[in-house]
Amino acid sequence: MQLAMWTYEGPPHVGAMRVATAMRGVHYVLHAPQGDTYADLLFTMIERRGERTPVTYTTFQARDLGGDTADKLKTAITDAYERFQPQAMLVGASCTAELIQDDPGGLAAAVGLPIPVVALELPAYSKKENWGAAETFYRLVRTLAGSKGATPPPPPPCGEGEGGGGSGEGQARERRAASPAAPCSEPPPPLTPPHKGEGERRPTCNILGPTALGFRHRDDVAEIRGLLERLGLTVNVVAPLGASPADLARIGDADFNVVLYPEIARTAAEWLKRQFGQPFTTVVPIGVGATRAFVEEVASLAGLDPTPILADERTRLPWWSRSVDSNYLTGKRVFIFGDATHAIATARVAASELGFKVVGLGTYLREFAREVRAKAEELGIEALITDDHLEVEKAIAALQPELVLGTQMERHVAKRLGIPCAVISAPVHVQDFPARTSPVMGFEGANVLFDTLVHPLMMGLEEHLVAMFRDDFEFADGALPSHLAGHAPMDAPPAEPAPDAGIVWEASAEQELKKIPFFVRGKARRNTESFARQTGIAAITVETLYDAKAHFGR
């Protein structure tokens, strides 16, 4: 561990809180000292939730360490059950309480509650928030999904069910919904879509992965659910977001699972595949191309025709990315950092759908480093795998991109460096939980993503044009738009970086430098001064400026 002023992820018990807070009828008893109750603010202040986080803390203090902290935990468990009457309970310890080794799971079992109690063992000093969320969801699914009672019968040998007793597809569907995966290597046949008048049910799926405090999870679920229903599917359960323990008990009834956020849901989806024979999707529908591939993958799993959906994409990204000033957008250098799902998807959209040049790609999730490295290699760059925001800042400063896409921290870094930026991944602040519906998944999400990636650059172009015409009488620093005449003058623009004390810039060269876009002006100044030092030039002229540009452009 290291002491830092900022971190991309909290300890794993914060991940458990994200799952508990997302669900209904689940309560989390957290063995923790008084100082660890800060996590409530993440949900009430940043996500602006309208109800209290479903967490009870034991809040032991230093003086309690000489007594029996185990009794405080048992009392907290009993009181939480009597007060909140949950359908299921999570019990665990925070990173601080882990050191006193009170065994929350054993103590909860000794209390003997009449509801399922899931004991969480989350190693706080080796794992972090997203792993904690994934482990918590997996433990809940494993505990509750098999709570139907009788063990399902084993499936028939491969090849049976082709004749008599109903259709082969119907039997295959029943096997996938009610039994472990078949012991043969032959994949299950795709579902046959229902025909009008036959009364056969629609194919069903679960949507797995969305949690509280996730980046646009609420809106992504609404977009993808609508897409699945237009395709002809019935959504069985969405989990963890909005699900109850009773919902998790019927999660095995679906034909397959849609995994929207692999960081959270992949472990549970793999278990459901082993236990119930449910396949799961591998394409994350972020961007137009990925959404098309997602629709085709889902249609293949469900035995449906994707053509009507693909013919009615309802997205403007492809045309807008061609119709906007391609000379201005094409080749823009972009740095991307975030969780693995959003970083990889954003890099794909930036490179293949908008024509940007990705010069940096990274993630703070070491568990998904392999996937990020593979994408970076495909783009011809080296991935940055780190959870130290200072390393990320150093990489951004060295690469001097024209656009930074990242988390809340990269927003701060980019603003400090004067680079246009946008947030595309958690962790985020309050402004990235908008009141409006603003998904990043699906076809509508592609529209939102276009705005997110392009608008900072368009604002940069506007500021660049203002800077170019600053000496015009209508664009002087003290001038105001005509409709604001008579009001106080606008604030002066931010000061340029201080020039090298040993090098003199002629007035004409300074004037020419101001014509360079503000977000790369600092780099142009540094490169020119470096060129002047290398060539022994004491006074920089306009000619020197362009000689330096030619030198560094080779």
Side-chain angles (χ1 to χ4, degrees):
M1 294 186 69
Q2 63 181 13
L3 183 63
M5 61 165 285
W6 198 86
T7 180
Y8 288 101
E9 295 184 273
H13 72 263
V14 173
M17 290 180 67
R18 288 176 57 187
V19 173
T21 304
M23 296 184 66
R24 298 176 291 111
V26 174
H27 199 82
Y28 185 20
V29 176
L30 184 62
H31 198 28
Q34 197 166 15
D36 282 355
T37 59
Y38 71 90
D40 275 0
L41 293 176
L42 297 173
F43 303 93
T44 56
M45 182 183 74
I46 296 178
E47 198 173 23
R48 295 180 283 191
R49 294 183 59 83
E51 59 275 346
R52 183 184 177 277
T53 307
V55 180
T56 293
Y57 302 90
T58 55
T59 57
F60 60 82
Q61 301 179 41
R63 63 172 179 266
D64 297 320
L65 297 177
D68 194 349
T69 54
D71 280 343
K72 289 185 71 69
L73 177 57
K74 289 193 287 186
T75 300
I77 292 171
T78 302
D79 291 348
Y81 174 72
E82 292 176 351
R83 178 181 178 185
F84 299 105
Q85 292 293 303
Q87 300 170 33
M89 183 176 288
L90 298 170
V91 178
S94 73
C95 47
T96 310
E98 184 181 321
L99 299 174
I100 61 178
Q101 299 181 339
D102 270 341
D103 185 20
L107 294 171
V111 173
L113 296 181
I115 59 172
V117 177
V118 179
L120 299 176
E121 296 183 7
L122 307 177
Y125 296 95
S126 59
K127 299 293 184 181
K128 293 194 175 183
E129 177 183 327
N130 279 277
W131 184 91
E135 180 70 8
T136 301
F137 183 48
Y138 163 68
R139 291 292 173 186
L140 279 166
V141 168
R142 183 161 183 165
T143 300
L144 301 172
S147 60
K148 297 180 181 180
T151 303
C158 296
E160 289 190 13
E162 296 294 331
S167 68
E169 292 88 353
Q171 291 182 5
R173 182 180 300 161
E174 292 174 4
R175 289 200 300 274
R176 285 199 300 277
S179 66
C184 58
S185 59
E186 181 183 346
L191 297 172
T192 300
H195 300 287
K196 291 183 179 180
E198 291 186 3
E200 189 175 349
R201 70 175 179 86
R202 286 156 53 113
T204 62
C205 67
N206 302 311
I207 298 177
L208 305 183
T211 68
L213 214 64
F215 181 67
R216 309 289 171 84
H217 285 197
R218 173 203 66 188
D219 301 338
D220 286 345
V221 168
E223 170 69 11
I224 297 304
R225 184 169 196 153
L227 186 63
L228 294 171
E229 289 174 349
R230 286 171 52 209
L231 190 57
L233 285 137
T234 297
V235 176
N236 178 50
V237 171
V238 177
L241 189 64
S244 67
D247 292 328
L248 293 188
R250 59 185 180 85
I251 202 169
D253 294 343
D255 297 309
F256 63 94
N257 292 310
V258 171
V259 175
L260 293 186
Y261 309 99
E263 292 92 341
I264 307 298
R266 190 164 72 180
T267 303
E270 289 173 345
W271 182 83
L272 288 167
K273 183 178 181 179
R274 295 191 301 270
Q275 185 71 13
F276 295 104
Q278 293 175 326
F280 60 89
T281 60
T282 58
V283 178
V284 177
I286 297 180
V288 175
T291 301
R292 291 170 181 163
F294 171 79
V295 169
E296 291 172 349
E297 182 183 30
V298 168
S300 175
L301 290 172
L304 298 172
D305 180 12
T307 305
I309 300 299
L310 297 178
D312 183 26
E313 291 182 343
R314 303 182 184 179
T315 181
R316 290 171 287 278
L317 184 148
W319 165 238
W320 281 21
S321 63
R322 295 193 302 270
S323 63
V324 293
D325 187 351
S326 59
N327 291 324
Y328 183 71
L329 289 178
T330 302
K332 287 297 180 184
R333 303 171 73 254
V334 59
F335 179 93
I336 300 169
F337 192 88
D339 66 51
T341 293
H342 290 92
I344 292 171
T346 303
R348 181 179 58 249
V349 172
S352 64
E353 299 184 17
L354 294 176
F356 295 167
K357 179 176 176 57
V358 179
V359 297
L361 174 63
T363 185
Y364 53 84
L365 289 175
R366 297 185 183 276
E367 294 87 351
F368 286 80
R370 179 181 301 173
E371 290 87 340
V372 176
R373 286 195 177 101
K375 185 61 181 178
E377 184 178 355
E378 178 186 322
L379 295 168
I381 57 178
E382 184 176 350
L384 176 62
I385 312 298
T386 182
D387 57 2
D388 185 346
H389 69 278
L390 296 177
E391 285 188 36
V392 180
E393 180 173 2
K394 183 178 178 181
I396 294 173
L399 290 168
Q400 285 291 309
E402 295 161 279
L403 176 65
V404 172
L405 304 171
T407 71
Q408 177 70 12
M409 178 50 68
E410 282 68 57
R411 189 210 304 265
H412 291 308
V413 171
K415 286 185 175 180
R416 189 157 55 248
L417 297 175
I419 303 172
C421 58
V423 172
I424 51 89
S425 166
V428 297
H429 203 20
V430 62
Q431 63 265 47
D432 291 299
F433 288 98
R436 68 186 186 279
T437 300
S438 186
V440 294
M441 291 188 177
F443 291 122
E444 181 59 27
N447 295 331
V448 173
L449 202 57
F450 176 91
D451 292 342
T452 301
L453 272 60
V454 170
H455 285 181
L457 290 172
M458 301 307 288
M459 289 301 296
L461 174 62
E462 180 179 314
E463 293 186 34
H464 169 49
L465 292 173
V466 170
M468 280 183 63
F469 293 99
R470 184 173 291 149
D471 292 334
D472 189 284
F473 74 94
E474 289 185 316
F475 291 93
D477 288 343
L480 288 173
S482 58
H483 66 285
L484 296 180
H487 292 272
M490 296 181 291
D491 294 335
E496 292 288 328
D500 190 314
I503 295 177
V504 177
W505 282 74
E506 292 188 359
S508 58
E510 284 279 9
Q511 193 69 21
E512 194 70 15
L513 182 67
K514 290 181 179 179
K515 296 179 181 179
I516 298 174
F518 73 97
F519 43 83
V520 292
R521 193 178 302 148
K523 182 179 180 181
R525 180 185 289 277
R526 288 192 295 272
N527 284 349
T528 305
E529 291 175 352
S530 174
F531 175 77
R533 283 192 297 271
Q534 293 173 18
T535 55
I537 296 175
I540 294 176
T541 64
V542 173
E543 183 177 323
T544 309
L545 184 63
Y546 283 97
D547 287 345
K549 178 183 178 182
H551 173 76
F552 286 101
R554 292 171 185 166

